[in-house]
Amino acid sequence: MSDPAVALWMLGILVFAIMIGFPVAFTLMALGVGFGFYAYFQPAQQFFDNRVFYLLTQNTFTVLNNDALVSIPLFLLMGYLVERANILDSLFRSLQVALRGIPASLAVATLATCALFATATGIVGAVVTLMGMLAFPQMLKAGYDSRLAAGVVCAGGCLGILIPPSIMLIVYGAMASQSVVKLYAAAMIPGFILAGMYILYVLAVGMFKPHLAPPLPKEESRLPTAQVLVMLAKSFLPLAVLILSVLGAILAGIATPTEAAAVGAFGAAVLAAAYRSLTWKALRESMVLTARTSAMVCWLFVGSATFASVFAYLGGNVLIKEFVLGLDLNPITFLLLSQAIIFILGWPLEWTEIIVIFVPIFLPMLPHFQIDPLVFGVLIAINLQTAFLSPPMAMAAYYLKGVSPPHVLLTQIFSGCMPFVYIVLVTMVIMYVFPQTVLWLPSVLYGN
Amino acid sequence: MISRITYAIDQVSKSIGHAFSWCGLMLVLGTCYEVVVRYVFNDPTAWAFDLSYLMYGALFFMAGAYTLSRGGHVRADMFYRLWPERVQASVELVLFIVFFFPGITALLIAGWGYGTESLRIREVSVNSPAGIPIWPMKMMIPVCGALMLLQGFAEVLRCIQCLKQGSWPSRLHDVEELEAQLLEEAARKRAAGQGAS
């Protein structure tokens, strides 16, 4: 058997082992070591002189030394601290009061709360469950269609993995050797377009199908504007300032992502203290969860680094590249095909697995099709929103189901998410037709 | 007897994971200190950059075994979770033996040579003249490999226990993600509500 054929077996076994549910990091490492031993085998050598062992430790050390990955635990810690700062109730309440007059105001307030909170935490599950307990019952009580209400909570909660500072873009940057700073700049406008389209959709529902999102009863006494402003200043402003200063420092090039994330984590602790939520328990929980989630992400890198180098050494990359180039696709078809594959992979897999294992297969082909890796990365980040929203593995839907009243069915939540999945797809089309939405901000900030 | 051993190993991994999780705090404080002295006093330190690597590396590497003990390593469980628990345990048992132990053993043995060599020459970082030692980081590779093997052994015992009694043995109670806490609470409330009505 030729070496590239062996590489295909390697990939096949990987996909099979992942599908039967073994932790991906260890599957990657084992296949890398096993096939690497075969690839580097020289009969005269002692067993442990095989180059694969050197490769394994060297790759592990490289992950330990990776510039981009250092910021991951810091952003995670910031997220876990904000999550425990007990800020969500007052944030939602003040936005709800402030937006009272507009159509479908509860849903818009929910989306806005989700967007801001999810951006700060970057964690999907917590936002959806918290808002599922806080906003979802209120919308149901106000007579909202339960599908619409469910879709709003799920879609809003997922925005955090797209809008910077998101962990996903750091991981993509590390895989694609792209600057995280540029990726953040590239994702800003598409992130806002997506959030904006969500809000427009909800507004349109409120205006044209008011029976799905009835306006709140008028007789409830309106609070004076000054009081609303005070409420916003107490809840909305501190969180917004925290995020904007972290992002601003990164985008303006004042601080590296790592430095900004460290200051952001410190700021989150101060914020939690200001809301009297910085208990020993909250701090300890945040630390432990940060360690666990970082370990999960970084061990994936340890496994994939060895797998990828052995796969490439065997000629697997070249084989796949030649195959795809041999199909003689034009750039549009390639882009559609690759995004469609990622969309489908998003059903059974989580974003970490997709970005660490499957995205690197497409990356070497981008120059041939003259696709900017920034555009490709942001497209993926938007595309993977659907991974959380579409069945069968829609995590967001399951989280919401877990905290919602029993009469809300999982199928209703799924069908509520569908309009938002379509909006995601429309946003991707917009980005494809107008790539300036991605490239304009990086080019203004950093030239070419 | 078996559960005593798995609990003991879980406890070891947990203590080490929890202890090293505070490296995250050191990482925050060290980097913030550097930001202040560099941007405010224009007097950067020589050590902060290396410290951040050491702390980040220790944080994620030493938490690996702990994450394994909590079932926290990412997996695609679309089919897995539909199977009866005995099938889950037998598949997992086979894959631990075929995949996990060879891979981690390779890491341990190769890392041992790599780490001890660095220790022998007391290797220091080349990033700055401060001479921050980086041999502890390289020594961490075999140490962590050993911890992973130990935890892997506990996971294998757990599979065997599940095969014997037909259901997964319970795990140590520990810190949970907020959504997991909330979901558990909601489920408990719902069960209580049904009991009352």
Side-chain angles (χ1 to χ4, degrees):
Chain A
M1 197 160 32
S2 68
D3 275 358
V6 174
L8 283 188
W9 271 101
M10 190 177 172
L11 191 62
I13 297 175
L14 174 70
V15 172
F16 176 74
I18 291 176
M19 283 305 166
I20 58 176
F22 199 65
V24 180
F26 306 122
T27 312
L28 285 165
M29 188 189 284
L31 289 174
V33 172
F35 279 85
F37 191 84
Y38 163 83
Y40 297 111
F41 183 74
Q42 282 170 359
Q45 255 177 351
Q46 295 270 312
F47 187 85
F48 282 112
D49 284 344
N50 190 302
R51 238 173 65 87
V52 72
F53 296 109
Y54 173 73
L55 198 70
L56 179 65
T57 44
Q58 193 57 49
N59 280 335
T60 308
F61 187 68
T62 312
V63 176
L64 282 167
N65 247 321
N66 190 312
D67 208 4
L69 299 180
V70 183
S71 57
I72 289 184
L74 294 167
F75 279 123
L76 284 171
L77 183 60
M78 172 176 153
Y80 283 121
L81 285 169
V82 169
E83 199 178 283
R84 280 162 183 70
N86 207 12
I87 191 174
L88 194 67
D89 286 34
S90 51
L91 179 65
F92 179 57
R93 244 186 74 73
S94 60
L95 281 173
Q96 184 196 333
V97 174
L99 295 169
R100 181 156 278 249
I102 64 173
S105 64
L106 263 180
V108 175
T110 305
L111 276 174
T113 310
C114 280
L116 187 68
F117 194 72
T119 303
T121 62
I123 306 158
V124 171
V127 187
V128 174
T129 38
L130 285 170
M131 287 306 274
M133 294 166 73
L134 180 69
F136 191 57
Q138 288 193 33
M139 283 192 274
L140 293 183
K141 210 173 121 200
Y144 276 52
D145 178 55
S146 56
R147 277 168 301 194
L148 177 71
V152 164
V153 171
C154 291
C158 293
L159 284 171
I161 59 167
L162 168 65
I163 300 178
S166 76
I167 308 277
M168 182 200 274
L169 291 171
I170 303 178
V171 174
Y172 176 83
M175 292 310 301
S177 317
Q178 290 294 311
S179 126
V180 173
V181 180
K182 279 190 178 175
L183 274 167
Y184 277 1
M188 286 306 291
I189 294 178
F192 281 117
I193 292 180
L194 184 63
M197 301 239 300
Y198 282 172
I199 290 176
L200 281 181
Y201 167 74
V202 170
L203 281 175
V205 169
M207 277 190 276
F208 300 112
K209 290 188 176 168
H211 61 282
L212 296 179
L216 294 174
K218 285 263 189 295
E219 62 269 29
E220 273 185 51
S221 58
R222 295 190 70 124
L223 294 170
T225 315
Q227 202 180 334
V228 175
L229 286 179
V230 170
M231 282 174 76
L232 283 174
K234 275 186 182 165
S235 60
F236 178 78
L237 199 63
L239 197 56
V241 167
L242 177 67
I243 301 168
L244 289 180
S245 46
V246 168
L247 267 181
I250 297 175
L251 293 180
I254 299 171
T256 66
T258 305
E259 290 166 346
V263 176
F266 190 78
V270 172
L271 193 74
Y275 287 94
R276 298 172 196 282
S277 316
L278 191 65
T279 56
W280 169 248
K281 180 169 170 282
L283 190 63
R284 192 173 142 267
E285 278 185 1
S286 305
M287 289 298 163
V288 169
L289 292 174
T290 300
R292 246 154 61 182
T293 311
S294 321
M296 186 271 279
V297 174
C298 296
W299 273 90
L300 261 185
F301 271 88
V302 171
S304 83
T306 304
F307 182 93
S309 41
V310 172
F311 186 71
Y313 182 79
L314 284 169
N317 284 357
V318 177
L319 187 74
I320 292 184
K321 189 174 170 186
E322 276 172 1
F323 172 74
V324 174
L325 298 192
L327 293 177
D328 211 14
L329 303 168
N330 56 21
I332 302 177
T333 333
F334 170 77
L335 200 61
L336 282 178
L337 198 66
S338 54
Q339 294 295 334
I341 292 174
I342 290 167
F343 178 77
I344 291 170
L345 286 172
W347 294 345
L349 300 178
E350 290 188 35
W351 67 262
T352 39
E353 300 160 323
I354 296 175
I355 293 199
V356 171
I357 302 169
F358 293 99
V359 168
I361 296 178
F362 296 114
L363 289 173
M365 303 171 204
L366 298 184
H368 174 84
F369 293 106
Q370 292 170 345
I371 297 169
D372 194 301
L374 289 181
V375 177
F376 197 71
V378 179
L379 273 174
I380 291 173
I382 294 189
N383 195 342
L384 288 179
Q385 296 277 312
T386 62
F388 290 94
L389 295 174
S390 54
M393 286 301 288
M395 289 319 292
Y398 287 104
Y399 289 137
L400 180 59
K401 171 67 188 150
V403 292
S404 58
H407 65 82
V408 179
L409 303 175
L410 196 56
T411 46
Q412 286 179 318
I413 299 179
F414 281 145
S415 74
C417 288
M418 281 326 280
F420 293 94
V421 173
Y422 299 138
I423 295 175
V424 171
L425 296 179
V426 170
T427 309
M428 290 178 67
V429 173
I430 294 179
M431 280 177 53
Y432 177 74
V433 179
F434 306 102
Q436 306 91 302
T437 50
V438 179
L439 296 172
W440 178 75
L441 193 58
S443 73
V444 167
L445 289 174
Y446 315 112
N448 286 315
Chain B
M1 182 57 204
I2 293 186
S3 42
R4 284 248 290 283
I5 299 174
T6 52
Y7 274 148
I9 296 177
D10 281 356
Q11 198 62 53
V12 170
S13 297
K14 179 180 155 182
S15 315
I16 292 174
H18 280 209
F20 276 89
S21 74
W22 291 100
C23 290
L25 191 65
M26 304 281 286
L27 178 57
V28 172
L29 296 179
T31 312
C32 285
Y33 179 78
E34 166 75 3
V35 167
V36 172
V37 294
R38 164 132 41 111
Y39 294 106
V40 181
F41 301 111
N42 206 6
D43 177 26
T45 64
W47 47 264
F49 188 67
D50 285 316
L51 177 84
S52 71
Y53 282 121
L54 280 171
M55 289 302 119
Y56 144 81
L59 172 74
F60 98 78
F61 220 52
M62 299 304 278
Y66 168 58
T67 307
L68 180 63
S69 85
R70 303 301 312 156
H73 285 287
V74 63
R75 65 199 309 172
D77 59 356
M78 173 156 109
F79 301 117
Y80 179 88
R81 64 174 173 186
L82 302 176
W83 297 334
E85 298 193 359
R86 274 215 169 90
V87 179
Q88 290 180 351
S90 30
V91 168
E92 203 156 317
L93 184 62
V94 171
L95 291 178
F96 259 105
I97 293 166
V98 178
F99 282 160
F100 182 84
F101 285 110
I104 300 291
T105 310
L107 186 71
L108 169 61
I109 294 175
W112 178 253
Y114 192 71
T116 46
E117 174 62 19
S118 176
L119 173 66
R120 197 177 57 76
I121 61 172
R122 297 285 189 278
E123 191 175 355
V124 295
S125 166
V126 293
N127 288 329
S128 75
I132 306 293
I134 58 166
W135 59 264
M137 198 142 105
K138 294 196 170 175
M139 268 314 277
M140 237 160 42
I141 297 178
V143 170
C144 178
L147 287 172
M148 289 294 248
L149 282 186
L150 187 67
Q151 187 60 45
F153 180 64
E155 297 302 312
V156 163
L157 288 182
R158 203 169 264 139
C159 291
I160 294 173
Q161 226 178 341
C162 175
L163 284 175
K164 270 190 182 164
Q165 64 191 31
S167 62
W168 287 107
S170 59
R171 288 179 185 266
L172 276 182
H173 194 74
D174 188 23
V175 176
E176 286 295 345
E177 294 274 354
L178 197 57
E179 62 263 28
Q181 292 174 20
L182 296 172
L183 289 173
E184 198 181 307
E185 234 166 74
R188 205 180 314 129
K189 259 185 213 159
R190 201 168 294 164
Q194 274 168 0
S197 62

